């Protein structure tokens, strides 16, 4: 996926819990990081192990990330 395709998508955890909306992607030395904005800001590593599913048509992505992290 292109990064600009991910910006604006709604992010959810594996159990369907809302994590926020992708507001941007930070380019850090180790790997890119998703900036999610919702009830609070979250930074989630944009790595294969965390990105479970992307559905551009539905405007959502699923992350292997706990909402308390």
């Amino acid at each position: 996926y292109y990064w600009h395709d991910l910006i604006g998508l709604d992010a959810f955890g594996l159990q369907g819990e809302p994590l926020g909306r992708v507001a941007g992607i930070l380019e850090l030395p180790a790997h890119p990081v998703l900036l999610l904005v919702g009830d609070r800001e979250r930074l989630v590593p944009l790595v294969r192990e965390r990105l479970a599913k992307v559905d551009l048509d539905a405007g959502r992505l699923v992350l292997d990330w706990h909402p308390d992290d």
Side-chain angles (χ1 to χ4, degrees):
Y1 300 97
Y2 293 107
W3 289 359
H4 69 269
D5 291 333
L6 302 179
I7 295 173
L9 297 182
D10 291 317
F12 296 88
L14 292 174
Q15 305 302 316
E17 62 277 16
L19 298 173
R21 178 165 286 176
V22 180
I25 299 175
L26 307 172
E27 291 187 58
L28 299 181
H31 48 74
V33 174
L34 293 171
L35 170 61
L36 305 180
V37 177
D39 59 334
R40 65 183 179 97
E41 286 189 356
R42 291 178 172 86
L43 297 174
V44 179
L46 183 54
V47 294
R48 185 175 311 188
E49 296 81 18
R50 296 289 175 211
L51 189 59
K53 181 179 180 183
V54 176
D55 187 343
L56 296 176
D57 292 331
R60 61 184 284 148
L61 57 87
V62 178
L63 300 166
D64 184 0
W65 195 257
H66 193 275
D68 291 336
D69 290 340

